[in-house]
Amino acid sequence: MQSAERIKSLGHVVITGGCGFLGHHLVQHIQQYHPKTQISVLDLRTLHNNFSSESTKYFDADITDLNSLRDLFEELKPDVVIHTASPHLDAPRAVLQKVNIEGTENLLKCAAEVGTKAFVYTSSASVVMEGGDLKNVDERWPVITGKDQPEFYAHTKGIAEQTVLRANRSKEHPQFLTCAIRPAGIFGEGDVQVIPGILGALKRGQYKAQLGSNDNLFDFTYVGNIAYAHLLAAGALLSTHAILPSIPLDMERVDGEAYFITNDTPVYFWDFARAVWKAAGASDAMLDPKKVWVLHADFAMFIGNAMEWVYWGLRKGAPSLTWQKAKFSTINRYHNVGKAKKRLGYDPIVDLEEGIKRGVQSVLEREGWKMGPGGVVEVKKKQ
Amino acid sequence: MKSSEILYYAVHPQELRAIVQWMVWHNPVHERNPEKESETLKQCFYYLDFTSRSFAAVIKELNPELLVPICVFYLVLRGLDTIEDDMSIQLSEKEPLLRNFDQSIEKEGWNYDGNGSREKDRELLVHFECVVAEFRNLKPVYREIIKDIAKKMGDGMADYCNNAEHNIHGVNSIKDYQLYCHYVAGLVGEGLTRLFVESKLANPALLERPELHESMGQFLQQINIIRDIKEDLDDKRRFWPKEVWSKYVDKFEDLCKPENKEIAMHCSSEMCAIALENVTDCLFYLAGIKDQSVFNFAAIPQAMAVATVELCFRNPDMFQRNVKITKGQACQLMMESTQNLQVLCDTFKRYVRKIHKKNDPRDPSFLKISIACGKIEQFIESIFPTQKPKEITGKPVLDEKAKAEKDEAYWDGIYMAAAAGGALLFVTFFMFFIAWMAGARFDLAFSSMKDTLFPSGKGSGQLTNPEHKEL
């Protein structure tokens, strides 16, 4: 493993959203690889995914409440802040706005004021999205916000990322270093979106339909690799901090920069779905490529759009096929992680196959699903 | 041409077209000049044709600077191969022959007649003095490279011959398999790269990244090993590593049993997945070549190899008989790999997509193949991007000037169509007029046309319903 793995302690690390999907992986990763680190987890509710120990403490905190946040930071005085807290993609706009934009501003203020050295922000690969194909994009692509950005979530993430990067070596706090990690297609244990979505389709018997030609490549990234990248970034910022006020060469510089993080193995969209179904135990008959029904991409989007209107008309909520979903499964979205490899020393530590295995197993257990002999996912009674 | 071939090309006209196009339009970058060649060199080219089917043509089109060195290099390696392959030579005789081959090629008049009579390339070694003579005429730097590779390869081959384990059980681990490929192909890649760089026809950086030329050799050799499984097995040779096949069958021979058809395909898929990992390095390597003839020489076998993966991947026939790409496909591939890297990359992408389309989720290597294909596509996108960061910022806004231009273009179109239509109409009338002046009877022509198109009721009844009359 990389040199950063050998650092026993990252000092005192605050993790916001530390009970969330990525956050709790970060906590476990630090406990395992940087055991001398002191961890303070901040989250709205800290009952789930709680791994408290002698060195890991949990605090109920709301990052949108500046005053109480300031008090907490006065008390904690962390060396490193890793800011993963964010509402769900589909959360109401007001909530996204408040947490992602204002919450991040609050955190930056509080951290800089108490002398935090390193601030790592969990951004999103979708900040460069404009709705169409993204092929092998790298950090030269501009952040898209405002009306050109089709997703409000990505808009708020983009604004917040820009605020974070502007705070790096600012006039008021020249010793405050920041950077941003942009994960793409995060999945793994504790996943509520990618793997459950794909397994849900299997459960509903929708495994026979394929939208589009399946020539589109997509990045899916195992959550553990993303956690690892965050800690490489934190370690690199601390090393840069140790040589302040000098600024590293442009080619080596970590602070003030954003990094795409993926598994570095883009795969064809439906291949990933099939690999997930296979890992869940789908039978050979269910995976038979001859039985796949291919819907043309434009037609699928048309149907998705029509379904949305019908469901809206019937007041039935969201249909299982929407325009957005159809579009998503037929476009290219993959990234080049050369910058993270060069500057952070990043390389995925868990490959796609292993990641899928872990993710599927954990989701099946959590949902109480299992593969029946008839090839259908059965629902067990939840406890 | 066999009748089966005629039938094949009758239903694959685009492949026939490729053959014709290659024969009609292919211009060699360089051509050798037999008149100025020495007797021994002519002999060397004779043996080149004699021993190599696929390489002879591309070697003979090489840049004059490398033409003879590479021809000699090929024949030296072929000589080594002929000794190694011949099971009728005793080990005690074979081992020193292999290990000292680098010295033999320097001895004037050296040749060897100890090969069994069944050895197909026996004649080459019997008359090897012609190769030695040409070797001795080469520039010292080229001699040094060829000698060095001959030594390394001879030692490697001797080690394998000595290794009883290898002879009985074949290759064990994937690492052993790659090491074997290194000795028989990776070293060739090294030698060729040194020759290319020494002659200034390739970027010297290629020597700083030896993994690139290693991949060139590995990919070609691994694909040959995958494709030739049936032939090799019939000759009692096993190159597929046990680490791979033992996951699928207990005995290597079982791969060819009809009842193991599906399992055997899974096994070959894993072999293909391992081989495909080399492809991005191969494309990277080819980007470092500066000379067209050298590019063709290096690219053609690579293109053939990727097409062969596509042919073998999930194809149960390869376990029953020798499979080969068709001549039409080969001509198409040669045309596409003798232009530039971008055209070659399009070819690779086309075959990668074909492999991806054949990929089956039930295959244990399903995800590995998908990842390998995705990596190749990503690499091609990285060297020939279809998207640029600037294009994605903002949509084009039509300003006043652009709008005026667009309007103008629209009216220009209308005027052009009107003018063309008017001219056509005028010419038509004019021709009718001339015809009429010359005495054409349009009235008669019109009424006869009317009769054929809209026959009158009377006539039609008789013509269309002859049966009614009889009733």
Side-chain angles (χ1 to χ4, degrees), chain A residues 4 32 45 61 64 104 126 134 172 209 223 274 283 330 335 344 361:
Chain A
Q32 190 178 347
R45 284 169 298 278
T64 61
T104 303
S126 62
L134 289 175
E172 308 83 60
V223 59
R274 286 171 192 137
S283 65
T330 56
H335 314 79
L344 302 179
Q361 199 183 351

Side-chain angles (χ1 to χ4, degrees), chain B residues 99-152:
Chain B
R99 290 199 196 276
N100 300 329
F101 202 73
D102 66 310
Q103 284 156 32
S104 308
I105 55 176
E106 288 185 311
K107 289 181 200 143
E108 201 173 346
W110 186 88
N111 57 29
Y112 178 71
D113 60 1
N115 273 110
S117 52
R118 282 183 61 233
E119 179 56 53
K120 62 183 186 330
D121 294 336
R122 184 178 193 279
E123 284 305 298
L124 168 68
L125 281 167
V126 172
H127 301 282
F128 209 72
E129 69 277 357
C130 66
V131 181
V132 173
E134 284 306 317
F135 175 78
R136 289 162 61 96
N137 285 338
L138 293 178
K139 287 184 189 168
V141 275
Y142 296 153
R143 261 194 332 245
E144 207 41 57
I145 295 167
I146 294 172
K147 214 170 119 66
D148 184 36
I149 301 295
K151 176 68 188 157
K152 284 180 185 162

Side-chain angles (χ1 to χ4, degrees), chain B residues 421-434:
Chain B
L424 209 65
L425 220 58
F426 173 75
V427 171
T428 312
F429 274 119
F430 187 69
M431 283 170 71
F432 272 102
F433 176 72
I434 298 280

